[in-house]
Amino acid sequence: HSQFLDPSQSAMYAYQMRNKHSVESNVDSFRVSLDTDQGEQVHVHLRPGLLEFLERITTRYETHIFTAAMDVYANPVLDHLSSLISDSDIFAGRWYRDTCTFSETHQMFVKDLSKLPVSLNKTVLVDNNPVSFLPQPENGIWVNSFFTDSNDATLQAVEEILDELAEHDDVRPHLAERFQLEQQLQDFETLQTSKIRLEQYHCLEEQVAVAAL
């Protein structure tokens, strides 16, 4: 989770889930400056176990970052994370807002994996925003949003799922059965049609994601 020290700048560079919790935290964190005229400062809270997770995952799997954030914001964060693990870039690819597709219906960015140089049968998208999965729900692992919970164990659960999926030639039927994201997204569409605010739907997100994991 990242926090702009000037909150008015956050929407310009990154879509962020609303934080209903205190920003005070005892989890590891770091701060980066953006290469902009204003030199915005961003404070980044690390999900527990993130560095160990990235070190193992990037060693075993081709790991791409697909974010709705702009590169001017995402790159300094990713560069710093990578430098904490290796002298070279640990990510096989970085894909930013300009690779996302803007949904006029939802007024949000979705992530179409077909735009990436990857094989969909062996690709998993891990995301905390359900809208991201709209193009390929059968490729998704939906996780709860992270803010400052030092007891968060999401990455351990994700790693276990990835290791299970590595044994299969096609991850999609297994993810579809386990997470049933297509049905979840149909429910989401129903909520949108009923004009229930997205923020109200997000309150269900943590329960659904944790139950799925």
Side-chain angles (χ1 to χ4, degrees):
H1 171 68
S2 60
Q3 174 192 0
F4 280 77
L5 301 190
D6 179 0
S8 65
Q9 301 297 321
S10 61
M12 182 184 306
Y13 301 114
Y15 172 77
Q16 296 177 314
M17 296 296 225
R18 188 174 61 179
N19 185 0
K20 300 178 182 178
H21 311 281
S22 169
V23 296
E24 295 183 2
S25 172
N26 60 356
V27 299
D28 292 336
S29 63
F30 62 85
R31 186 171 296 183
V32 296
S33 298
L34 306 190
D35 186 17
T36 63
D37 292 340
Q38 291 76 27
E40 290 87 354
Q41 297 282 312
V42 182
H43 194 81
V44 181
H45 300 280
L46 301 185
R47 195 166 210 148
L50 174 63
L51 296 181
E52 295 81 3
F53 173 81
L54 286 176
E55 184 173 13
R56 291 191 295 268
I57 293 302
T58 57
T59 300
R60 299 205 296 265
Y61 308 114
E62 181 180 313
T63 306
H64 295 250
I65 299 297
F66 197 0
T67 175
M70 296 175 64
D71 58 351
V72 69
Y73 155 71
N75 267 331
V77 175
L78 297 176
D79 287 344
H80 188 83
L81 285 173
S82 185
S83 71
L84 294 175
I85 298 171
S86 174
D87 292 334
S88 57
D89 192 357
I90 62 173
F91 303 113
R94 303 182 184 190
W95 313 93
Y96 309 102
R97 182 176 298 180
D98 57 357
T99 308
C100 296
T101 303
F102 187 73
S103 169
E104 295 290 346
T105 302
H106 304 94
Q107 291 296 296
M108 298 175 70
F109 290 98
V110 303
K111 298 174 181 177
D112 185 351
L113 297 174
S114 68
K115 292 186 175 183
L116 275 55
V118 296
S119 299
L120 292 182
N121 63 305
K122 296 292 286 184
T123 297
V124 178
L125 175 63
V126 181
D127 209 297
N128 67 324
N129 186 347
V131 175
S132 298
F133 302 113
L134 283 172
Q136 295 96 10
E138 67 278 8
N139 287 91
I141 295 178
W142 184 11
V143 299
N144 57 299
S145 297
F146 172 74
F147 297 108
T148 59
D149 181 10
S150 60
N151 295 314
D152 185 283
T154 299
L155 295 179
Q156 178 181 349
V158 170
E159 185 173 356
E160 292 174 359
I161 294 172
L162 293 177
D163 288 343
E164 292 175 13
L165 292 172
E167 302 175 2
H168 302 285
D169 294 330
D170 193 336
V171 302
R172 293 170 292 187
H174 304 281
L175 285 172
E177 179 180 2
R178 183 162 191 164
F179 286 91
Q180 300 180 9
L181 276 179
E182 187 171 0
Q183 180 60 51
Q184 299 282 359
L185 290 170
Q186 288 176 359
D187 294 342
F188 173 80
E189 295 285 356
T190 301
L191 290 174
Q192 288 292 85
T193 302
S194 302
K195 298 184 179 179
I196 297 178
R197 291 176 58 84
L198 180 60
E199 289 84 352
Q200 292 175 307
Y201 186 70
H202 282 162
C203 73
L204 303 175
E205 174 191 343
E206 185 168 349
Q207 300 176 34
V208 174
V210 171
L213 289 173

